[in-house]
Amino acid sequence: MTIINIKKFFRANIRKNLLLVFLILQFAACSKNQVFKTETFKTTSGWGYSIAYKDQIIIKQSVIPVINDSKSFATEEDAHKLADLVVKKLQQNISPTVTKNDLILLKIKF
């Protein structure tokens, strides 16, 4: 009789653990579906970018940050490179601020 009770106990625990693992995986899958979307746009003097999260624009940058002049990005590629850097920082929960060193490393003309 004790053996039967032990088997029932372990079967119940296995089911509970499998359910818990399933719920954790489901939660992780749902949270990863929220991605950042980048988009470049044409300005009067060049290019800019915007970053959206959950279909809401959170950053819209029409000029190159960090420099003293109000200049837009020279090329669409430059705007896209910086947008990708900012998204990487946001995904790592790092402040999305950009430095002149970042612009130099990405070879963005300013």
Side-chain angles (χ1 to χ4, degrees):
M1 192 123 186
T2 307
I3 295 173
I4 295 171
N5 288 339
I6 291 173
K7 286 183 181 180
K8 286 182 182 178
F9 175 77
F10 284 116
R11 284 183 188 161
N13 277 342
I14 289 173
R15 287 182 191 146
K16 287 178 187 175
N17 289 337
L18 286 175
L19 180 63
L20 179 64
V21 169
F22 175 76
L23 290 174
I24 290 172
L25 289 174
Q26 194 73 359
F27 179 76
C30 290
S31 66
K32 289 186 179 184
N33 286 339
Q34 304 300 332
V35 294
F36 294 96
K37 295 179 185 174
T38 60
E39 190 174 292
T40 56
F41 57 89
K42 185 79 171 140
T43 64
T44 56
S45 61
W47 290 89
Y49 69 86
S50 63
I51 299 173
Y53 180 72
K54 295 183 181 178
D55 296 327
Q56 184 177 9
I57 294 177
I58 57 172
I59 297 175
K60 187 171 185 177
Q61 193 72 45
S62 59
V63 295
I64 302 174
V66 181
I67 63 171
N68 293 332
D69 297 334
S70 294
K71 291 173 46 179
S72 294
F73 294 93
T75 65
E76 183 178 14
E77 182 184 349
D78 286 349
H80 192 67
K81 285 193 285 189
L82 194 61
D84 287 343
L85 174 69
V86 172
V87 166
K88 284 180 187 175
K89 288 183 176 189
L90 289 170
Q91 288 172 338
Q92 296 172 354
N93 291 328
I94 300 173
S95 174
T97 56
V98 178
T99 64
K100 280 191 178 181
N101 192 35
D102 292 330
L103 298 176
I104 293 168
L105 290 174
L106 292 174
K107 299 178 182 173
I108 294 176
K109 303 167 191 162
F110 55 93

